[in-house]
Amino acid sequence: MDVSANKSRQLGRDDAYVVGVDFGTLSARALVVRVSDGAEAGTAVSEYPHGVIDRELRGRELPPDWALQDPGDYTDALGVAVPAAIRDAGIDPAQVIGVATDFTASTCLPVVPVSDSGSGSGSAGTPLCQLPDLAGRPHAYPKLWKHHAAQPQADRINAAAHERHEKWINRYGGKISSEWQFAKALQVLDEDPEIYQLADRWIEAADWIIWQLCGTETRNACTAGYKGIFQGGQYPSPDFLAALDPRFASFAADKLAHPISPLGGRAGRLTPAAAARTGLPEGIAVAVGNVDAHVTLPAAGSCAPGTMVAIMGTSTCHVMNGTELAEVPGMCGVVDGGIVAGLWGYEAGQSGVGDIFAWFTRNGVPGEFAAEARHRGVSLPQLLDEKAADAPPGAHGLIALDWENGNRSVLVDAGLSGAIVGLTLATTAPEIYRALLEATAFGTRLIIETFNTSGVPVTELVVAGGLIKSAPLMQIYADVTRRPLSVIGSEQGPGLGSAIHAAVAAGAYPDVPAAASAMGRINRDVYRPDAAHSDVYDELYAEYVSLHDYFGRGANEVMYRLRAIRDRVLEGGSR
Amino acid sequence: MDVSANKSRQLGRDDAYVVGVDFGTLSARALVVRVSDGAEAGTAVSEYPHGVIDRELRGRELPPDWALQDPGDYTDALGVAVPAAIRDAGIDPAQVIGVATDFTASTCLPVVPVSDSGSGSGSAGTPLCQLPDLAGRPHAYPKLWKHHAAQPQADRINAAAHERHEKWINRYGGKISSEWQFAKALQVLDEDPEIYQLADRWIEAADWIIWQLCGTETRNACTAGYKGIFQGGQYPSPDFLAALDPRFASFAADKLAHPISPLGGRAGRLTPAAAARTGLPEGIAVAVGNVDAHVTLPAAGSCAPGTMVAIMGTSTCHVMNGTELAEVPGMCGVVDGGIVAGLWGYEAGQSGVGDIFAWFTRNGVPGEFAAEARHRGVSLPQLLDEKAADAPPGAHGLIALDWENGNRSVLVDAGLSGAIVGLTLATTAPEIYRALLEATAFGTRLIIETFNTSGVPVTELVVAGGLIKSAPLMQIYADVTRRPLSVIGSEQGPGLGSAIHAAVAAGAYPDVPAAASAMGRINRDVYRPDAAHSDVYDELYAEYVSLHDYFGRGANEVMYRLRAIRDRVLEGGSR
């Protein structure tokens, strides 16, 4: 029995707390949670001073599609948000028995094992960008998840994988993303081979932050599987990697390879330096790293196979456990223990959801609605939600495809684009807005149906994320999917999920499902489908599927051609 | 030789003038034109006090889709606009040798031949609504062109025509419109048979106004052919009409039949009462009635076969003369002498053009653009035009179908609706606006190509109407059609066209082509196609045609189904 567990026993569960830290795109948020029941005692947020570095780095302009971050922002945020959350909770830091984090992914960086001046330990995984000589080199920085400049490298990887019939490619719906570890590392090799050589390790920020907390390198099963192509106990073979570039042959062996740690495991204990930074007790359990979306599933209280959690924000990420391995068309990935140890973790996604609503709100709504919203003291999206909910389903006569940000669902095709059909001279902006809300619901239904027909049945639908605040949107999802919608009971899903992992790492619960059961929060069946609405939506969904297949499965490749024409004329005049 | 012609000789052409009066939807405009060269000497407009009567009539609510007018507004407008235009021209009314009018169509009304109190002549074609007992009866009023409540009657007429293989139906692209004489008269019979019985005559306002000017009933070849199904010297047979309703069997014989007068002919001479009303000399020539769109063709200077004039406003009407009779798919009609005596007049149309731009400007453009327009002192459409013209063709990556008001072109289908494909999170309102401009240009190109492949080649494209003010739109039309665009040289196309007919009726020219040649106005080849732009538009046009056929020719009847769902849910809750 370890120290933390002893302490937990000594304190009694009602007195024991854990800290979960959610590292987002622009800030980190710490959440202090009671171990016994998941009660959220306090929280605090720390913005990253450098935010997203996507225009220039130290006065030097970055190419399009780049997105970097400064890793010092991550560690600084620990020093601000954690003590502030403890103060907010009004507890004694000595009551904290464990800490865990979750991170955006794939956000990855090159590091060397030299000592960080303040760490007091031999190996700290120092980011190359923190070495004075390399601070001006863009490739020395962490590449944020939404760094999209490695698309050519992803294309090469996908082409080679299919050419060589690599089995792992089917675990990713047939396509790996430019956002993931291999594409980004290959871009470094292509564009700054010296940085590539200098990097002893190539590591997810999710694992790097844990290294900073416990002084030990670990690799978590989630990012290794979903972002690092770690399948069946191995990375892609040296042969495969050499086919991409001979210099890349030993990439996995040299820069990635490390024992994989199960989620909920203990990565180590809080170092003196990290204890000093965070104000937490030295020696408490530090959990293995995790990802914001995946960690939200236990936060919703159930890790049962068949419970799909849709984390709905700018995009939607669907995570679900399954007992069997299956290949679901278009899924982002299936990973053994990728969400919870011992189960197959499935991930799927819709690349545009809240982003589409925000795009339309900014670009498609006349000023009269903004004025009305101001006059009534509501936000424009709230007003549109309300107006959209005014009429019965089908009254607008519209159908839309939700592909304004491409499709990463069943079709996995970034070359697709959005469409709206059924416009008349009587069509209003709130009607189009509603058609867009519905289109994303149809997209979710198509994902659920694809899982069902692929042998991984979805038995319950739970929603989390920022969009759960929109009741009209939630009702549309219930009506369209003809399912009762359960809603996560926390506004800090990722933070609570991390806290659950901290509690398990500290030995307070035997495993993540048990901790999720005690600490997770869910409001069941908040939105129930209206049968009459569902009947109309069945008809509209059939139209959605028919247009989805027409534009998305090759019958009319107009969307690709429009994109190609656009790219061509923007590159070199009108020819 | 008639009196007017003698007078014209006496005056000398430089001193002789004619008056054209254009009766529009909301006002009538008189134009004073010099006979010798078409110079526009003066103009004046008179708004109709009752405007469009589409909500209530004398306190009684009208059903949806109704649109009536008060015929007193027409005669009152003559008394205001004509004298004011003469004053504006600064000429002596005695210099006027003829008067002609053009009208919206089909705007038609029930009349009786009793004397109008002020007319001083035995037969005046008194509108039923001007009889005191009938002033409260909606069916006693003129039904304006855009009265769309006779769709069930039009459907019956079309079904019966196809069932009985009536030959005339193919002269109208296979479908007659609810806007036309027979559908509207049948609606009267269905809904107010007493009014139907009381109506001695059923007449186009275009002919009725001539009756008011010269005291004689006439029927012009244009409205008889395009709106009255008068083909090959006869109206639809009593058998056919009886199939619609036995009481309708003698409709044409009783209420329409009358010798047909050629365009440019003289209907009669200005009565004393009409002379008193207008201030014009008693006894001058009154031309046969005409229609605003058709009369614009000679105003553009050329009546030559193959010259297509597109009158571009809220909708677009395409008129062209041909030497041969051909059946062009989807044309509105082909009429012997329908535009110019001795030639086959072809009419085609796009049901939504300026209407679509106006709809989008009102419903799809964020407030920031309205603010910018205000700040810069331009109109919002001007600003959008300018921004739309900013990028090369194809840069927006969009394609749209211009069917927000249905399709009355090649497909002749009011059940179709608009569509936009290619939307991304970077798409802006001006880009969608431009895609809509382009969609209407693709629609025009499709009409031209349909004429070409039907044996009625289009050799020149001339534009007229309110939209010619938008240079970016005109350039798009030139680029999309790959043709130089000639532009009518008058801002009062219909008024000038009417004046040309007045000059012919007065004997100043032997026929309309000769008068058009001398008095018409055209600026040739104002917009020339940019070959590089045309190449890109060829690609986009191919996409337009492919979507046009997919949605419009039965491959995917989603638009009809969306409309049916809409109508159903709006009628009776959500089921």
Side-chain angles (χ1 to χ4, degrees):
Chain A
M1 190 153 291
D2 66 43
V3 175
S4 305
N6 279 334
K7 192 161 182 185
S8 166
R9 295 281 147 78
Q10 290 158 14
L11 285 170
R13 273 193 186 163
D14 279 357
D15 300 324
Y17 287 83
V18 280
V19 174
V21 187
D22 169 40
F23 286 87
T25 299
L26 294 171
S27 64
R29 174 181 290 275
L31 186 69
V32 179
V33 175
R34 188 159 59 191
V35 170
S36 58
D37 60 358
E40 296 172 15
T43 187
V45 68
S46 170
E47 309 281 334
Y48 305 150
H50 299 90
V52 177
I53 304 168
D54 55 3
R55 295 184 174 274
E56 59 170 38
L57 178 72
R58 296 183 166 229
R60 181 174 156 192
E61 201 181 339
L62 292 172
D65 295 330
W66 276 60
L68 307 178
Q69 292 204 307
D70 188 316
D73 289 350
Y74 305 147
T75 40
D76 288 351
L78 279 176
V80 173
V82 174
I86 296 289
R87 281 194 302 276
D88 184 49
I91 63 163
D92 179 350
Q95 292 175 266
V96 176
I97 63 169
V99 60
T101 61
D102 62 88
F103 226 101
T104 63
S106 173
T107 296
C108 43
L109 64 157
V111 301
V112 288
V114 299
S115 171
D116 176 23
S117 56
S119 78
S121 77
S123 159
T126 302
L128 288 191
C129 61
Q130 290 184 347
L131 301 178
D133 289 356
L134 303 179
R137 301 273 277 273
H139 279 295
Y141 284 76
K143 290 183 164 58
L144 184 62
W145 64 276
K146 66 177 176 178
H147 173 96
H148 285 136
Q151 189 61 52
Q153 288 76 22
D155 293 344
R156 265 158 70 198
I157 293 169
N158 285 318
H162 286 288
E163 196 176 308
R164 295 168 48 95
H165 305 289
E166 298 286 344
K167 282 188 194 149
W168 47 260
I169 194 71
N170 295 324
R171 299 270 173 99
Y172 303 98
K175 202 174 275 187
I176 74 119
S177 165
S178 69
E179 293 183 2
W180 298 351
Q181 292 176 14
F182 279 71
K184 282 171 169 162
L186 189 54
Q187 189 196 4
V188 179
L189 174 60
D190 282 349
E191 299 177 7
D192 195 344
E194 192 187 6
I195 290 289
Y196 178 83
Q197 292 303 336
L198 288 171
D200 284 305
R201 309 292 286 159
W202 182 249
I203 191 167
E204 280 285 326
D207 289 325
W208 179 83
I209 197 71
I210 298 302
W211 200 340
Q212 306 314 300
L213 288 169
C214 69
T216 314
E217 179 182 353
T218 52
R219 301 271 169 162
N220 73 81
C222 177
T223 53
Y226 290 110
K227 315 298 177 187
I229 324 186
F230 187 81
Q231 289 285 354
Q234 53 195 357
Y235 289 106
S237 68
D239 271 6
F240 172 77
L241 298 176
L244 300 172
D245 187 319
R247 298 170 298 168
F248 204 53
S250 62
F251 168 66
D254 289 352
K255 300 184 199 290
L256 298 180
H258 193 278
I260 303 298
S261 302
L263 301 179
R266 197 186 70 208
R269 300 188 177 284
L270 200 66
T271 62
R277 186 190 290 278
T278 60
L280 299 178
E282 186 184 328
I284 61 169
V286 176
V288 166
N290 214 328
V291 174
D292 45 10
H294 302 71
V295 82
T296 300
L297 189 142
S302 169
C303 301
T307 294
M308 175 176 276
V309 177
I311 300 104
M312 301 176 60
T314 54
S315 60
T316 291
C317 186
H318 309 79
V319 286
M320 184 173 85
N321 286 310
T323 51
E324 307 294 331
L325 171 63
E327 285 174 5
V328 183
M331 67 185 164
C332 300
V334 53
V335 171
D336 189 5
I339 301 171
V340 169
L343 291 167
W344 288 95
Y346 288 87
E347 181 189 349
Q350 290 174 266
S351 42
V353 181
D355 262 357
I356 296 178
F357 312 151
W359 160 75
F360 184 75
T361 303
R362 273 195 315 273
N363 290 286
V365 181
E368 66 191 83
F369 294 102
E372 184 180 342
R374 271 195 306 277
H375 179 71
R376 290 183 33 199
V378 298
S379 73
L380 183 50
Q382 279 174 321
L383 183 78
L384 291 172
D385 269 356
E386 182 191 306
K387 288 189 182 291
D390 235 16
H396 53 43
L398 299 170
I399 196 88
L401 291 176
D402 53 326
W403 299 343
E404 279 78 5
N405 198 26
N407 174 303
R408 79 166 183 221
S409 306
V410 179
L411 301 167
V412 203
D413 196 332
L416 295 172
S417 51
I420 303 173
V421 173
L423 299 162
T424 75
L425 296 182
T427 302
T428 65
E431 289 178 332
I432 295 176
Y433 181 80
R434 173 159 174 168
L436 294 172
L437 301 184
E438 291 168 349
T440 68
F442 295 141
T444 289
R445 175 165 165 181
L446 192 55
I447 289 171
I448 292 172
E449 295 194 352
T450 305
F451 270 82
N452 286 345
T453 56
S454 300
V456 197
V458 177
T459 52
E460 184 182 13
L461 183 58
V462 182
V463 290
L467 291 181
I468 61 176
K469 275 179 279 188
S470 166
L473 180 68
M474 293 301 104
Q475 187 59 50
I476 287 170
Y477 271 62
D479 291 342
V480 164
T481 60
R482 212 183 267 273
R483 287 164 184 271
L485 221 61
S486 300
V487 181
I488 192 169
S490 169
E491 289 189 5
Q492 312 297 342
L496 176 57
S498 283
I500 286 170
H501 284 76
V504 175
Y509 292 97
D511 54 26
V512 171
S517 204
M519 299 171 68
R521 308 240 152 177
I522 189 165
N523 299 314
R524 291 209 185 266
D525 303 353
V526 177
Y527 300 93
R528 291 171 181 280
D530 172 312
H533 289 185
S534 293
D535 287 348
V536 176
Y537 279 133
D538 277 352
E539 293 179 75
L540 295 176
Y541 176 68
E543 304 298 348
Y544 175 88
V545 171
S546 136
L547 292 173
H548 172 280
D549 289 353
Y550 176 70
F551 287 111
R553 295 198 194 275
N556 185 345
E557 298 191 328
V558 53
M559 290 172 177
Y560 312 99
R561 290 190 296 265
L562 288 172
R563 202 174 276 263
I565 292 169
R566 179 197 71 185
D567 292 347
R568 196 186 68 219
V569 303
L570 287 181
E571 260 171 34
S574 65
R575 287 304 293 270
Chain B
M1 193 152 290
D2 66 41
V3 174
S4 306
N6 278 335
K7 192 162 182 186
S8 163
R9 297 279 148 78
Q10 290 158 13
L11 285 170
R13 272 195 187 163
D14 279 358
D15 300 322
Y17 286 83
V18 279
V19 174
V21 188
D22 169 40
F23 286 88
T25 299
L26 294 172
S27 63
R29 174 181 289 275
L31 187 69
V32 179
V33 175
R34 188 158 60 190
V35 170
S36 59
D37 61 357
E40 296 172 13
T43 186
V45 68
S46 170
E47 309 279 336
Y48 305 150
H50 299 90
V52 177
I53 304 168
D54 56 2
R55 293 182 175 274
E56 59 170 37
L57 178 72
R58 298 184 165 225
R60 181 174 155 193
E61 199 182 339
L62 292 172
D65 295 329
W66 276 60
L68 308 178
Q69 291 204 309
D70 188 317
D73 288 350
Y74 305 148
T75 41
D76 288 351
L78 279 176
V80 174
V82 175
I86 296 290
R87 282 194 302 276
D88 185 47
I91 63 162
D92 179 349
Q95 292 175 264
V96 176
I97 63 168
V99 58
T101 62
D102 62 87
F103 226 101
T104 63
S106 173
T107 296
C108 43
L109 63 157
V111 301
V112 288
V114 299
S115 171
D116 177 22
S117 55
S119 78
S121 77
S123 159
T126 301
L128 288 190
C129 61
Q130 290 183 348
L131 301 179
D133 288 355
L134 303 179
R137 301 272 278 271
H139 278 295
Y141 283 76
K143 290 184 164 59
L144 185 62
W145 65 276
K146 66 178 175 177
H147 173 97
H148 284 135
Q151 189 60 51
Q153 287 76 21
D155 292 344
R156 264 159 69 197
I157 293 169
N158 286 318
H162 285 289
E163 196 176 308
R164 294 169 49 94
H165 305 289
E166 299 287 343
K167 281 186 194 149
W168 47 260
I169 194 72
N170 295 324
R171 300 270 173 98
Y172 302 98
K175 204 174 274 188
I176 74 119
S177 165
S178 69
E179 293 184 1
W180 298 352
Q181 292 177 13
F182 278 72
K184 282 172 169 163
L186 189 55
Q187 190 197 2
V188 179
L189 174 59
D190 281 350
E191 299 178 6
D192 195 343
E194 192 189 6
I195 290 289
Y196 179 83
Q197 292 302 336
L198 288 171
D200 283 306
R201 310 292 286 158
W202 181 249
I203 191 166
E204 280 285 327
D207 290 325
W208 179 81
I209 196 72
I210 298 303
W211 200 341
Q212 307 315 301
L213 287 169
C214 69
T216 314
E217 178 180 354
T218 52
R219 301 271 169 162
N220 75 81
C222 178
T223 53
Y226 289 110
K227 315 298 177 187
I229 324 186
F230 186 81
Q231 289 285 354
Q234 53 194 357
Y235 289 105
S237 68
D239 270 7
F240 172 78
L241 298 176
L244 300 172
D245 187 319
R247 298 169 298 166
F248 205 53
S250 62
F251 168 66
D254 290 352
K255 300 184 199 289
L256 298 181
H258 193 276
I260 302 298
S261 302
L263 301 180
R266 197 187 68 206
R269 301 189 176 284
L270 199 66
T271 62
R277 187 190 290 277
T278 59
L280 298 178
E282 186 183 327
I284 61 169
V286 176
V288 166
N290 213 328
V291 174
D292 47 10
H294 302 72
V295 83
T296 300
L297 188 142
S302 169
C303 301
T307 295
M308 176 177 275
V309 178
I311 299 105
M312 300 176 60
T314 54
S315 60
T316 290
C317 186
H318 308 80
V319 286
M320 185 174 85
N321 286 310
T323 51
E324 307 294 332
L325 172 63
E327 284 173 6
V328 182
M331 65 184 165
C332 300
V334 52
V335 171
D336 188 4
I339 301 171
V340 169
L343 291 167
W344 288 96
Y346 288 86
E347 181 189 348
Q350 289 175 266
S351 43
V353 181
D355 261 358
I356 296 178
F357 311 152
W359 160 74
F360 184 75
T361 303
R362 273 196 314 274
N363 290 286
V365 180
E368 65 191 84
F369 294 102
E372 185 180 341
R374 272 195 306 276
H375 180 70
R376 290 182 35 199
V378 298
S379 73
L380 183 51
Q382 280 173 322
L383 183 79
L384 291 173
D385 268 357
E386 181 191 305
K387 288 188 182 292
D390 234 17
H396 52 42
L398 299 170
I399 196 89
L401 291 176
D402 53 326
W403 300 343
E404 278 79 4
N405 198 24
N407 174 302
R408 80 167 182 220
S409 307
V410 179
L411 302 168
V412 204
D413 196 331
L416 295 172
S417 52
I420 303 173
V421 172
L423 299 162
T424 75
L425 295 182
T427 301
T428 65
E431 289 178 331
I432 295 177
Y433 181 80
R434 173 161 174 167
L436 293 173
L437 302 184
E438 292 168 348
T440 67
F442 295 141
T444 289
R445 176 166 166 180
L446 193 55
I447 288 172
I448 292 172
E449 295 195 352
T450 305
F451 270 82
N452 286 344
T453 56
S454 301
V456 196
V458 177
T459 53
E460 185 183 12
L461 183 58
V462 183
V463 290
L467 291 180
I468 62 176
K469 276 179 278 188
S470 166
L473 180 68
M474 294 300 104
Q475 188 60 50
I476 288 170
Y477 271 62
D479 291 343
V480 164
T481 60
R482 213 184 267 274
R483 289 165 182 270
L485 221 61
S486 300
V487 181
I488 192 168
S490 168
E491 289 189 5
Q492 312 296 342
L496 177 57
S498 284
I500 285 170
H501 283 76
V504 176
Y509 294 96
D511 56 27
V512 171
S517 205
M519 300 172 67
R521 309 240 151 178
I522 190 166
N523 299 314
R524 292 212 184 266
D525 302 353
V526 177
Y527 300 94
R528 292 172 180 280
D530 173 311
H533 289 183
S534 294
D535 287 348
V536 176
Y537 279 132
D538 278 351
E539 293 179 77
L540 295 177
Y541 177 68
E543 304 298 349
Y544 175 88
V545 171
S546 134
L547 292 174
H548 173 280
D549 290 353
Y550 176 70
F551 287 111
R553 296 197 194 274
N556 185 344
E557 299 192 327
V558 53
M559 290 172 176
Y560 312 99
R561 289 190 296 265
L562 288 172
R563 202 174 276 264
I565 293 169
R566 179 197 70 186
D567 292 347
R568 194 185 71 220
V569 303
L570 288 181
E571 260 172 32
S574 65
R575 288 304 293 271

